[in-house]
Amino acid sequence: MEVKTIVNAEIELLAAIKNADVLALEKILHDDLLFNLPDGQTITKEFDLDTYRSGKIKIDVLEASDQIINVIDDSAVVGVTILLKGKYDNDPIDGVFRYIRVWKQFDDNLKVIAGSCIQLK
């Protein structure tokens, strides 16, 4: 697995998040995904997809910076800072968050299997 492959996968993931592209997210996120939110809640793929399907989340700005990628065999760990603005359940989202995501190669598909996010600002 090459770093460039992960960079491209991250770009595809962020575009799917910004555009609430549920079909793309279904392909990118592993069925057994676990993701920790800044409030400590652990969510699943289905919870995440339902948030997009219901229209609860609306992203206006999503800008990535300070990306670090470590490739380990058939997996990759990504650390990235995200400026995020939008709304969740009509409550404003406006902050800088640090994400860590774990990608794993499955046959021809690269999927996110785990992640976590903390708010920096």
Side-chain angles (χ1 to χ4, degrees):
M1 183 182 317
E2 295 182 25
V3 169
K4 183 178 180 184
T5 304
I6 301 302
V7 169
N8 290 338
E10 279 281 315
I11 291 168
E12 186 180 335
L13 173 64
L14 296 181
I17 290 169
K18 184 159 193 229
N19 299 320
D21 186 342
V22 174
L23 291 177
L25 289 169
E26 282 178 343
K27 293 177 191 170
I28 295 169
L29 304 179
H30 190 274
D31 288 346
D32 294 322
L33 167 80
L34 290 178
F35 190 91
N36 291 330
L37 297 176
D39 67 2
Q41 182 182 8
T42 300
I43 63 169
T44 63
K45 174 181 177 175
E46 275 310 304
F47 183 97
D48 197 31
L49 293 179
D50 285 346
T51 300
Y52 291 99
R53 283 188 198 110
S54 68
K56 273 188 180 178
I57 193 157
K58 170 78 175 93
I59 305 296
D60 298 315
V61 175
L62 191 154
E63 296 172 6
S65 62
D66 301 325
Q67 188 179 63
I68 301 168
I69 299 173
N70 286 344
V71 174
I72 307 162
D73 295 327
D74 66 350
S75 300
V77 180
V78 177
V80 63
T81 299
I82 303 280
L83 170 64
L84 196 58
K85 294 183 182 186
K87 289 191 176 189
Y88 178 78
D89 219 6
N90 291 322
D91 292 326
I93 302 169
D94 186 359
V96 178
F97 299 84
R98 186 74 182 164
Y99 284 77
I100 191 161
R101 268 191 283 274
V102 181
W103 292 84
K104 183 171 173 52
Q105 186 72 49
F106 295 91
D107 298 322
D108 292 337
N109 299 317
L110 193 57
K111 295 187 179 275
V112 177
I113 61 170
S116 188
C117 171
I118 59 168
Q119 187 163 2
L120 302 177
K121 297 180 191 173

